[in-house]
Amino acid sequence: MKKLICLAVLGLISLAILPVPLFAQNAGVKQVKLTNFDLQSSALISADGKELSSVQYHSPVYWLPVKIPSTVLTGLVANHIYPDPYQGLNNMLIPDASDQFNKEYNLEQYSHLPNDPNPWKKPYWYRTTFKVAAGDKGRHFQLIFRGINYRAAVWVNGKQIADSTQMVGMFADYNLDVTSAINAGGENALAVKIYPLDYAGYPAKEQLKALGPFYENGGPTGDIGKNVTMLCSVGWDWIPPVRDRNMGIWQPVYLRTTGAITIGRPKLVTDLPNLPDTSIAKLSLSLTLSNHSEAAKNGKLIVSIKPENFTGLPVQFSQNVKVAASGSSVVNLDAAKVNQLIIRQPHLWWPNGYGRANLYRIRLQYADANGIADDTSFVFGIRTVSSKATMVNKFTRREFYVNGKRVHLNGGAWVPDMMVNRDSARYDYEMHLCRNANVNLVRIWGGGVTPPDAFWNAADKYGEMVWSDFWVTGDTQGEFKGSPDWPLEGNVFIKNVASTIYRIRNHPSLLVWTGGNEGHARKELYDAMRDDIINLDGTRPYIPSSSGFAKLPDGWKGSWPDDQPSGVYSGGPYQWEDPKVYYKKADAGGDWVFKDETGIPSQPPYTTLAKTIPNLVWDTKLPFPLNDSWGYHDAATGAARYDKYNSEMVKRYGQPKTMVNFSDKMQLMNAVGYQGIFEAAGHKLTETGGVMLWKLNAALPSVVWQIYDWYLEPNAGYYAMQNAVEPLHIQFNQDDSTAAVINRMHHATGMLTAKAEIYDIDSKRLNAFSIDHIGLADEGTQEVIKLKNALADAKGVSFVVLNLINAAGKTLSHNVYWMAPGNDLTALNNMPTIKVDVKVSKAEKGAAENKWTMRFTNSTNKLAFFVRPQLMKNGEEVMPSYWTANYFTLAPHESITVSVSAPLARLGSVQPTVLVEGWNLEKQVVGLMAK
């Protein structure tokens, strides 16, 4: 059997693997993505790997064409073997990986394999052929698997390269030396045998009733935790069981061609040694050169560094390096040895909201007598990260720092797609949506997956800090249920940890490692993980768990480097609450000194309702407009309490009369809920480390816990968050009815004027206040206008309109609230219909996106409430669209300037329009000028 190099042990870091175009300058070094495969169950294939990997193989059985990456179920759905499990109740027409579960729900009848009731128990084969040029004879060939689930065995041209004891675990990269098996100048065949999870896991009861209870996260026993895999694939309270548990080749496969010397494990560390002075950065670089030939090699390591997303001068240097025959050389370079690794006046990488996410690209080449042997590059950012733990009234509070400046974390948990079907474009869209919402932190949740490189590249690009849990949860590793003895194969967990650290450690977006979600691995695994983080990375903090409520046993080491508790707290609330509840919690401190899990149900707008719930026939036994299929898409009780969310909407805004009206009233609930969460935390800005949502995104079409839905449609809560955590903000503190200014920036605001106006339901202005000569010198809060007395005698619905204006007269922050005694807001249903004026002032055509700027003016004497513009193409909303404001309210004779951009890939060649709707607006369509 050929030698296997597992990236967790010996291999090549992912950042050293780049697409083919990056190697265009050197035809000898190239990397080809293998995409077109055929798929079939081993139950139908009698041939073994040797025969299947022969170019002469001809099957008597039809094989299904699939595009890699693809799980088995994704491939079967693409070939119409099973219905789309994202839609409606289709998942109940697909057999599960658990035999017991299949019997309980009679799912065996749906197996596509004759006489085989569970189609996921036996391995599946993936097969492809590819050509290698004759000119590549004598080169070194590597077959790179970026992610398989759960075990794999590999054959090339009749030779077994790796077996299923070597390739195991969902989160390791594998770099296989296939040099001796490759046929240069001819056709080559590859056969991959993918094995299911060792333990399928037993799911909880299916959520088949709307407003029924949710069942156990991770199943009743949590036994999915016996594997090192996507733990939520057995089902959680926001995702149903993934029927095949995502077995398959879930990440790309590459064939890489190089010379005899390959570059592996590059590690680039950036330091700002004179903080707070950032005028000098010092870099250090380490890597391994491996010689795959039987002759010693003398050559040069050539290093060049240049700006990636800004203008500047490149630097380059080289070092002579000898590599012994069949050996390796570790190269360590730093600023003390190489003057070019001192960067003067560096362009720093800053998180979203604190500055530009400046990026550099480093290129590494090794040249010997035969030319360029290997050539690779990756993007990095110059920045430092650190953290501090402080005890506040018996609660440890964790705070984070970037480039010596405190950053207040505003973001939320990120969950994987149900069938891990996101591609690089999707990751870019979602990270852009996060940046546009003023999110600065994305948490990789421990029951999901450590995402592929495309995610990290997009996070780097958009300035999104990332908090990365390892694959441990309280529901599977013994904190709530499951067992600390799981995963059963500790060596698999440790190898997957090391591989992951090597793969993502160079990304500037990675802020902190976390030992798991609301729990801990057993001590041998916990210690190995913590030690690997220190030894293989050592450039960023580690905290033991995403929840300080999960206490470490006595004698265990804590966070690194300070050995303190985690200082962050989950525990919700996860249901809709009145904003005053969040203010009460923030004022009390406690677990809100750093709240890393809270959220609300989040009904999408009507735009995507029919896609989210295809069957929209109302079951009159349920509240309007629900039927039981809503339950499968999370309209249930449980932690989200969709029942309370719905009843509170009816209580406040009145019984909806149509589905559009229902959707619109839910948007009011979303806006108020998310505004309350982030403004409550914001008014304690310097006393809290951050506030994070459970959660930001969706694994499938859902009606809970998301600021944008599975179709990339933001709900009103998205824009409430965007407004609440803007860098400079004015808000109405709902604990004491005071208008306050929040400065999240680490520089002075300049001289400001704050204005507050109070209107009644008839748009009559009841009070107006203005205060000049205010401002903050640095990060902080400032209470500016007390409104309690002015609101004390208000009857019926009142609107509070706030504006923050700079010395030049420009409005920097605009914010509106609606309130009433007893929260009786039903008078909103009778607001008169008006029309706003819209003027498009600018059109910009970009390389990847087009952008339009427009001004909305309310020329009437009535409030324009909850104005919602939509970018439209051929009668459908363009998703994603990135609006700088939406669901906004304009006082009489007030204006606002907003812009919208959208990817060219989604716009196509059609000139879009803007559909303007609102709570009390006459619909209108606005044409957009071309550039």
Side-chain angles (χ1 to χ4, degrees):
M1 185 178 297
K2 297 305 294 180
K3 180 180 178 183
L4 167 75
I5 305 177
C6 172
L7 292 191
V9 184
L10 298 172
L12 185 66
I13 188 170
S14 67
L15 291 177
I17 305 300
L18 293 169
V20 175
L22 294 174
F23 303 103
Q25 74 282 356
N26 179 25
V29 178
K30 52 193 172 185
Q31 184 164 293
V32 177
K33 185 176 181 181
L34 304 180
T35 301
N36 297 314
F37 280 71
D38 292 323
L39 171 72
Q40 192 49 271
S41 170
S42 64
L44 303 179
I45 304 297
S46 60
D48 60 12
K50 181 177 180 179
E51 185 178 351
L52 290 173
S53 64
S54 167
V55 293
Q56 280 82 36
Y57 174 74
H58 296 288
S59 176
V61 175
Y62 177 74
W63 288 60
L64 304 168
V66 294
K67 297 284 187 181
I68 298 300
S70 171
T71 66
V72 172
L73 181 55
T74 294
L76 295 176
V77 171
N79 281 277
H80 310 293
I81 303 298
Y82 291 114
D84 182 355
Y86 295 92
Q87 298 299 314
L89 294 174
N90 284 349
N91 206 42
M92 297 305 298
L93 303 176
I94 305 172
D96 192 75
S98 165
D99 289 335
Q100 179 182 349
F101 193 82
N102 283 334
K103 287 182 170 60
E104 290 172 0
Y105 288 91
N106 195 26
L107 299 181
E108 296 171 332
Q109 63 179 313
Y110 301 115
S111 175
H112 74 288
L113 298 178
N115 306 312
D116 209 337
N118 186 338
W120 320 119
K121 291 189 78 168
K122 296 177 181 177
Y124 275 75
W125 286 104
Y126 289 76
R127 185 181 185 277
T128 191
T129 59
F130 55 93
K131 292 182 179 179
V132 174
D136 286 334
K137 190 172 184 179
R139 306 291 286 170
H140 180 69
F141 297 95
Q142 301 162 72
L143 191 61
I144 300 163
F145 288 82
R146 305 314 301 264
I148 58 93
N149 192 34
Y150 183 63
R151 295 178 182 269
V154 176
W155 288 259
V156 175
N157 293 335
K159 295 184 179 181
Q160 186 166 8
I161 307 299
D163 67 28
S164 61
T165 66
Q166 297 165 298
M167 296 180 70
V168 56
M170 193 173 184
F171 309 111
D173 289 4
Y174 296 94
N175 178 344
L176 311 181
D177 184 347
V178 294
T179 304
S180 64
I182 290 294
N183 175 28
E187 194 83 3
N188 295 263
L190 166 65
V192 184
K193 192 175 189 179
I194 293 290
Y195 294 79
L197 270 60
D198 291 351
Y199 304 91
Y202 175 53
K205 293 180 180 179
E206 290 280 15
Q207 181 55 52
L208 299 175
K209 296 289 184 182
L211 306 187
F214 268 124
Y215 298 99
E216 302 95 336
N217 290 337
T221 66
D223 60 344
I224 188 78
K226 294 177 180 180
N227 313 277
V228 181
T229 192
M230 175 176 154
L231 300 173
C232 64
S233 66
V234 78
W236 227 261
D237 58 2
W238 44 269
I239 181 175
V242 185
R243 295 306 186 204
D244 69 342
R245 307 294 189 265
N246 284 327
M247 67 180 293
I249 304 177
W250 76 283
Q251 285 302 300
V253 179
Y254 297 99
L255 179 69
R256 183 170 169 82
T257 306
T258 66
I261 304 292
T262 56
I263 300 168
R265 289 189 187 173
K267 179 183 180 183
L268 187 68
V269 178
T270 66
D271 185 32
L272 299 170
N274 303 320
L275 285 172
D277 181 0
T278 61
S279 62
I280 290 179
K282 293 185 177 181
L283 313 184
S284 60
L285 172 68
S286 64
L287 54 87
T288 300
L289 297 173
S290 299
N291 187 351
H292 303 277
S293 76
E294 298 179 357
K297 297 290 184 180
N298 290 293
K300 282 188 175 182
L301 175 68
I302 305 165
V303 180
S304 61
I305 299 171
K306 66 177 183 178
E308 175 73 3
N309 62 354
F310 63 93
T311 302
L313 296 175
V315 297
Q316 182 172 312
F317 63 92
S318 63
Q319 294 275 314
N320 294 321
V321 184
K322 181 178 181 178
V323 190
S326 301
S328 62
S329 293
V330 176
V331 179
N332 291 297
L333 303 172
D334 59 32
K337 300 175 185 176
V338 181
N339 187 59
Q340 289 89 339
L341 292 176
I342 300 174
I343 308 296
R344 304 184 189 281
Q345 303 301 326
H347 286 64
L348 302 183
W349 187 93
W350 287 101
N352 187 27
Y354 291 91
R356 278 182 49 85
N358 292 302
L359 295 169
Y360 293 81
R361 180 175 291 277
I362 185 168
R363 182 178 177 187
L364 307 172
Q365 298 171 293
Y366 185 82
D368 58 21
N370 296 318
I372 300 294
D374 203 359
D375 184 345
T376 189
S377 73
F378 59 90
V379 167
F380 71 96
I382 295 177
R383 62 98 183 91
T384 63
V385 297
S386 61
S387 77
K388 180 176 75 173
T390 307
M391 188 63 70
V392 182
N393 296 325
K394 299 183 180 180
F395 279 81
T396 302
R397 179 185 67 205
R398 179 72 53 183
E399 294 174 285
F400 291 91
Y401 296 78
V402 176
N403 301 329
K405 299 289 188 181
R406 194 186 88 108
V407 291
H408 193 259
L409 303 189
N410 302 293
W414 174 276
V415 295
D417 181 81
M418 176 178 168
M419 290 159 62
V420 289
N421 276 336
R422 295 189 178 107
D423 59 15
S424 59
R426 174 80 179 210
Y427 283 119
D428 189 272
Y429 294 161
E430 294 203 41
M431 287 298 98
H432 193 164
L433 278 167
C434 287
R435 183 184 72 171
N436 191 59
N438 289 320
V439 167
N440 63 23
L441 186 283
V442 175
R443 173 192 164 205
I444 303 305
W445 174 69
V449 303
T450 303
D453 300 337
F455 167 89
W456 297 95
N457 294 338
D460 293 344
K461 172 183 174 182
Y462 291 114
E464 294 299 323
M465 296 177 286
V466 182
W467 158 324
S468 193
D469 290 2
F470 281 104
W471 324 289
V472 172
T473 77
D475 288 290
T476 52
Q477 268 70 43
E479 186 78 16
F480 312 132
K481 61 179 188 304
S483 170
D485 293 332
W486 301 343
L488 293 175
E489 293 187 288
N491 62 313
V492 172
F493 180 84
I494 292 168
K495 288 179 179 179
N496 277 246
V497 165
S499 181
T500 297
I501 295 170
Y502 284 132
R503 179 169 70 88
I504 65 177
R505 64 183 176 181
N506 288 328
H507 285 280
S509 54
L510 179 55
L511 175 72
V512 57
W513 301 102
T514 308
N517 170 63
E518 299 179 330
H520 309 96
R522 62 183 179 270
K523 191 171 190 303
E524 67 184 90
L525 304 188
Y526 177 89
D527 288 345
M529 173 175 56
R530 188 178 185 275
D531 289 346
D532 276 352
I533 287 167
I534 297 167
N535 297 326
L536 302 182
D537 181 11
T539 66
R540 48 181 58 83
Y542 162 80
I543 59 176
S545 174
S546 68
S547 179
F549 295 122
K551 301 295 185 184
L552 278 174
D554 290 341
W556 288 32
K557 294 179 180 179
S559 300
W560 185 82
D562 59 25
D563 200 26
Q564 295 297 307
S566 294
V568 299
Y569 304 91
S570 60
Y574 300 101
Q575 63 192 42
W576 194 93
E577 299 282 7
D578 186 278
K580 293 181 179 63
V581 172
Y582 301 115
Y583 276 87
K584 184 177 180 180
K585 291 179 177 294
D587 288 340
D591 57 339
W592 274 68
V593 296
F594 196 125
K595 173 54 64 174
D596 72 1
E597 278 193 17
T598 188
I600 63 172
S602 313
Q603 180 69 37
Y606 182 74
T607 313
T608 57
L609 178 57
K611 296 178 181 179
T612 302
I613 311 292
N615 175 11
L616 284 174
V617 176
W618 175 34
D619 182 344
T620 56
K621 296 177 183 178
L622 292 166
F624 177 83
L626 276 58
N627 60 49
D628 280 336
S629 70
W630 288 64
Y632 209 76
H633 295 268
D634 306 325
T637 56
R641 290 295 308 273
Y642 194 92
D643 55 335
K644 176 187 175 183
Y645 173 60
N646 183 74
S647 62
E648 191 68 25
M649 176 271 291
V650 174
K651 175 184 172 183
R652 289 174 179 245
Y653 301 108
Q655 180 65 44
K657 293 180 169 51
T658 67
M659 289 189 185
V660 173
N661 190 230
F662 165 83
S663 301
D664 290 347
K665 289 182 176 180
M666 283 304 201
Q667 298 319 302
L668 296 175
M669 296 289 288
N670 293 342
V672 168
Y674 283 105
Q675 181 186 63
I677 290 171
F678 288 100
E679 291 191 342
H683 100 292
K684 293 289 184 180
L685 180 69
T686 58
E687 301 173 46
T688 60
V691 62
M692 294 157 54
L693 293 174
W694 180 260
K695 48 193 181 45
L696 293 169
N697 67 328
L700 77 164
S702 173
V703 297
V704 301
W705 296 328
Q706 59 195 353
I707 58 172
Y708 59 87
D709 69 14
W710 192 73
Y711 298 100
L712 306 181
E713 171 74 299
N715 62 65
Y718 172 99
Y719 292 102
M721 179 183 183
Q722 178 194 66
N723 182 263
V725 297
E726 61 188 339
L728 183 59
H729 179 62
I730 188 167
Q731 68 182 49
F732 176 76
N733 289 341
Q734 301 201 39
D735 55 349
D736 61 4
S737 299
T738 299
V741 176
I742 314 297
N743 181 28
R744 297 177 181 274
M745 306 177 293
H746 286 290
H747 59 76
T749 62
M751 203 63 72
L752 302 171
T753 297
K755 293 186 175 184
E757 298 173 293
I758 301 173
Y759 292 84
D760 67 11
I761 191 64
D762 296 316
S763 301
K764 178 183 177 183
R765 192 170 76 173
L766 304 178
N767 280 289
F769 305 87
S770 181
I771 181 168
D772 300 325
H773 306 297
I774 59 172
L776 294 101
D778 204 328
E779 177 192 38
T781 66
Q782 183 179 23
E783 294 186 348
V784 291
I785 303 173
K786 295 188 180 299
L787 297 171
K788 187 172 184 178
N789 291 338
L791 290 167
D793 298 328
K795 294 179 172 53
V797 175
S798 299
F799 296 88
V800 175
V801 180
L802 303 179
N803 285 287
L804 188 64
I805 302 166
N806 67 9
K810 181 181 179 182
T811 299
L812 302 179
S813 178
H814 172 75
N815 208 350
V816 177
Y817 303 79
W818 50 99
M819 58 199 71
N823 294 317
D824 181 2
L825 297 157
T826 53
L828 292 172
N829 296 313
N830 302 316
M831 292 181 73
T833 301
I834 64 167
K835 184 177 181 180
V836 295
D837 301 322
V838 185
K839 181 179 180 182
V840 181
S841 59
K842 192 175 184 182
E844 302 169 73
K845 188 171 180 61
E849 296 179 355
N850 286 348
K851 180 179 178 180
W852 294 268
T853 302
M854 59 205 77
R855 188 163 181 82
F856 292 78
T857 301
N858 179 10
S859 301
T860 76
N861 293 320
K862 300 294 183 180
L863 282 149
F865 183 51
F866 227 46
V867 180
R868 184 192 174 205
Q870 301 164 63
L871 189 67
M872 306 293 289
K873 183 185 80 169
N874 297 330
E876 296 281 339
E877 186 173 5
V878 178
M879 293 178 277
S881 297
Y882 311 112
W883 289 90
T884 57
N886 214 311
Y887 294 95
F888 50 83
T889 295
L890 297 175
H893 307 289
E894 190 172 40
S895 297
I896 188 172
T897 299
V898 302
S899 64
V900 61
S901 61
L904 294 177
R906 294 297 181 97
L907 290 169
S909 59
V910 176
Q911 187 66 19
T913 59
V914 170
L915 172 63
V916 182
E917 297 180 306
W919 183 264
N920 65 325
L921 257 60
E922 177 184 323
K923 285 187 182 182
Q924 60 177 306
V925 176
V926 178
L928 293 175
M929 65 179 75
K931 170 70 175 174

